[in-house]
Amino acid sequence: MVSKRTAEMTSFIVMDVLEKAHEMERQGISVVHLEVGEPDFDCPACIKDAACQALEDGFTHYTHSLGLPELREAIGQYYRDTYGVDVHPDQVIISSGSSPAIFALFAALLDPGDEVIVSDPHYACYPNFIRFVDGVPVFVPVYEEDGFQYRPEAIAERITARTRAIFINSPSNPTGNLLSADRMRRIAAFAPHIVSDEIYHGLVYEGKEHSILEFTDRAFVLNGFSKLFAMTGLRLGYLIAPREFIRPIQKIQQNFFICANSMVQKAAIAALRHAERDVARMRAIYDERRRYMLRRLKAMGFGITVEPTGAFYVFANARHFSPDSYALAFDILARAHVGVTPGIDFGKNGEGYLRFSYANSIENIQEGLDRLAHYLEEAPRRPVPIRKSP
């Protein structure tokens, strides 16, 4: 029999959309991908060169389970330079992507029945990490009119004796919005630990992102190289944690993962030290796409109350097109051949929204939105797509 925890795990719907799109492409159908949150850029040359040099030098063996000391020092320096906070290398754990870091963090932090406060909508996989270690996600709705920011008073109402952490993500997946410094400061004042997913830091186009470490040291920071440096397939992330958690998390790393990829750790050092100009170029292109997508979606009638200023997503209100985002997304894929992500993937409060990714070329975005506009023009002649969402 399949384990209960696996049987009860929800699917990652965006992957279902992507896999259906790939099936269509194998049949010769052209699909425009606006569903996947993956940079379309190759990672910068300095990163590839460092990885190749590491292979040439025979750097293909285990590293320290916490990661290369040189990389952990570079991360500490990056946080000092960027946010003005002191991060000692001994507080940094290098992981094979940020997902293993999330798993190790909650495995070390939670006992059965312990609670973690999570926004709704949220990144689809967060609750599954918490439930997998027998924790309990406690959802706090966030709203379009607030730019999908937490209301601190709503968090306060849900804190109990079992609350171990408050999970924040700024810039956010799926919304692309940021938490303001004031709200972060107020959230940091609560007693539990704060878990801050900062994977989209550096991809901000208006204003400035803040690390939770600017406001509290009772914090875990999740970050990595996939988004900012276009290194998704190289699978490298990291966790910054309070010192008392380092040894417990290290034991999890040793037992389940051994260490992160040695060659990619060398590449990550080059990313932090030499890829600034490449990142600036990619960020400027993302911003151009963001502005174009926002203009087109608004013209089509999608609701966007507070424009997103980070990551590479637009979370658009589509309730007046269909109350079932799952059915709508798959109908758009089937009829318009455009991949988009249904809001229900990100929690009950995401129902009625669609997430659009602009991590694609401006030409592909234009084509995808042209197809979507035609789909919506034809929509009054068809029944509203509704079926039971998963």
Side-chain angles (χ1 to χ4, degrees), residues 169-228:
N169 176 209
S170 173
S172 165
N173 179 8
T175 71
N177 294 95
L178 278 70
L179 274 171
S180 69
D182 178 65
R183 296 201 193 204
M184 291 184 75
R185 186 177 294 107
R186 291 169 65 190
I187 292 167
F190 292 119
H193 288 92
I194 311 297
V195 177
S196 180
D197 185 348
E198 302 183 358
I199 193 68
Y200 292 100
H201 275 219
L203 297 176
V204 174
Y205 317 105
E206 297 179 25
K208 184 183 186 301
E209 69 273 43
H210 292 274
S211 173
I212 192 62
L213 296 175
E214 297 174 51
F215 308 103
T216 179
D217 57 3
R218 292 179 55 79
F220 298 87
V221 169
L222 298 156
N223 208 329
F225 298 85
S226 293
K227 310 297 184 180
L228 184 61

Side-chain angles (χ1 to χ4, degrees), residues 32 34 287-304 307-308 314 316-317 320-321 336 338 354 356-358 361-377:
V32 177
L34 304 181
D287 190 25
E288 177 188 359
R289 298 170 180 177
R290 177 184 71 98
R291 294 173 186 274
Y292 177 79
M293 179 175 280
L294 285 169
R295 184 170 66 253
R296 290 290 308 275
L297 290 176
K298 286 182 176 181
M300 290 181 216
F302 285 93
I304 303 167
E307 292 188 355
V314 178
N317 192 326
H320 54 297
F321 297 124
V338 179
L354 295 176
F356 297 86
S357 168
Y358 48 90
S361 71
I362 194 71
E363 294 80 13
N364 285 339
I365 292 170
Q366 180 176 357
E367 172 64 22
L369 295 181
D370 287 347
R371 295 183 188 185
L372 181 61
H374 180 71
Y375 168 90
L376 294 174
E377 288 169 4

